[in-house]
Amino acid sequence: RFYIDDLPVLFPYQYIYPEQYSYMRDMKRAIDQQGHCLLEMPSGTGKTVALLSLIVAYQQFYPEKRKLIYCSRTVPEIDKALAELKRLIDYRKSQGQNDSFLGLGLSSRKNLCVHPQVSQEKRGDVTDARCRNLTSPWIREQHKKDPEVQVCSFYENLQTVDPNAAIDSGVYTLEDLKEFSREKGLCPYFFARKLIPFANVVIYSYHYLLDPKVAEMVSKEISRDAIIVFDEAHNIDNVCTESLSIDISRPMLDSGARSIRELTDRISTIKSRNAEKLQNEYSRLVQGLKEAQVSLENDQFLPNPTLPQDILTEAVPGNIRQAEHFVGFMRRFVEYLKTRLRVMHVVAESPASFLQHAKEVTYIEAKPLKFCAERLSSLVRTLEINDLTEFGSLAKIAMFATLVATYQKGFVLILEPFENDNDTIPNPVLHFACLDATLAIKPIFDRFSTVIITSGTLSPMELYPTLLGFDPAVIASYQMTLTRTCFLPLIVTRGSDQVEVSSKFEVRNDQAVVRNYANILLEFSKITPDGLVCFFPSYLYMESIVAAWNDLGLLQELLKYKLIFIETPDATETTIALENYRTACDNGRGAILISVARGKVSEGVDFDHHYGRTVILFGIPYQYTESRILKAKLEYLRDNSKIRENDFLTFDAMRHGAQCVGRVLRGKTDYGIMVFADKRFARADKRSKLPKWIMAEMSEGGVNLSTDMAVTMAKAFLRTMAQPLENDPNGVSLWDEKEIAKRQAQEMQVDP
């Protein structure tokens, strides 16, 4: 227990790192000022536990009891954060703090479903559809009349329960919540959603706040004074733009056309049997009444894809109020999109010119397009359609219509007739791409008083306020305090034969570079104990290099020292490769994992201790610069945010590179070698964009090495690391309560 200003903080470990203390202090400053902050904390220094300790202490100490919404990216990260929170609350209880505290995680139906049949489904969208088939209001109505109609007993039981009274205080991980709900016979997914207003801490994925389609249903009730945290947020600008982007392909339009035929048949059937239903819907639309209650209680089939402030409150236009008129309107729009996809050259245009063209050719006005998503949603409810899986494509087309008619600035439409530029068989895709990350995140900054953006690799930090359009009260990057240097960054610029190595496009397939890259890997696999991970800039480059190594017989050479596993774009294959890689490291055989800088492995997988003793980054992971969406984005940033193209590309490549090498270090007792294998890293302008904590350990002698010099330095480093770790002379990298009190007293003297 220690104090920050007047706030008593309980920290669940015996010692605290100095950087954790600074991190907490800066965070408290931002929360006190009700401002936003941007904090970069080194990998493996207990960021999550520091953040939770401070905010829980803040919640319990001040009477406002501000809610904490903690957003992470992947399910394992959500689980990890929940486990830390559980540990913290148990510690607070053991110290006599009887907080009535509820902490919970929320994930998708696929991860939380406990229904015996539905939970067996492998795909998320099928789980969602089957769940709706059992829980939609009209199915439940039919069940009352005819008990043969199946409903979900877990969901039914939840309707009779007061959520707050049904659960004891405590922290529930996703598994705990499933277990608890299974015992009580409740549905964990809807139970968790009902508990959000009562919880002190909610941990869930970014999309629940940033993606308007989901946020409208899940996060609407959250009070304005909540504290929002985006963890692992180095990629947050991409999450923002993706949540408002949509792709339309030819198969999607064909499937949409089939759904329209199906709707036409359903409308004519209902007309002959129950015309009153359609009439009621029509009069409701005339009055412009929102069916808010129905949709919020149970997921709407098609939530509005636009941001809250852009949702229209007026009545649906006359020409799409009648069900058959609306279906005819959608048919016309789908046919128009099909004609647009028949072109054989690339087209890039603004939403305004797309709408103008649509109006000239088919007389489709922008106004009814804005209402497509809402009108389709209403029609699906009126027709009581249960099996929504086949209507997915039509839903996407309706969302596209709504988005393209609502937004003009910050978006671009790009029509690409071929998947790759040298293909001859057309496979057209219409990309509706959002270029401006501020659009999705602005409502969050406006609505909540404190938003904390944090990660281990945010450098270079100066671009984030511009990219996300906010003004942080605190920007800070922390150094790592170490009693021994536990990681060694090396920049290898040339092979042992003095030929420069680089993944630059002109030289990347040069035989000498290919051979030198293999040589670097071979030499490091000889000296590295256990696991070695290497990253390439792209799948394409990785495949060509590995194939070339195979032809030269270099893979056989590598296999003498370690087993080789390769990441593929397929998630299941990669998971199996990772499991086997870990097994090989556990049993002492050692292994090499070859992966890609923007793939699954580089983002959420930790290689702690013997799972990663060396990480090699082959080349600088630039994005594919010929991508038309990227070109449009660069142009937009240049014109509107005054960010030069090269600055953005380097910033983006360096944050991904730092993310890759940061995987190797997961704590101060861990150690590892970081190898940057590209001559361009030796240039100061590239190197300076790496995080401060990596830069601090980079010696002058380690920035321009050949392979053999790097191996010599690595050997010496590994030999040092093999010595037993002396206990930390207190006060360097571990502080206890007395040390904190001493430091605070010194600060008071300096700053009277």
Side-chain angles (χ1 to χ4, degrees), residues 318-330:
N319 61 344
I320 57 170
R321 273 183 210 151
Q322 292 251 3
E324 53 267 48
H325 291 176
F326 170 64
V327 172
F329 176 82
M330 282 304 285

Side-chain angles (χ1 to χ4, degrees), residues 110 120-128 389:
K110 182 175 172 293
Q120 300 303 311
E121 292 294 348
K122 295 279 183 288
R123 279 176 46 199
D125 52 348
V126 181
T127 311
D128 290 357
T389 27

Side-chain angles (χ1 to χ4, degrees), residues 365-386:
E365 293 275 348
K367 189 162 182 202
L369 279 177
K370 278 187 190 177
F371 288 89
C372 277
E374 213 160 294
R375 181 66 188 89
L376 180 61
S377 187
S378 163
L379 181 63
V380 164
R381 267 203 301 278
T382 305
L383 298 177
E384 299 185 352
I385 293 170
N386 308 331

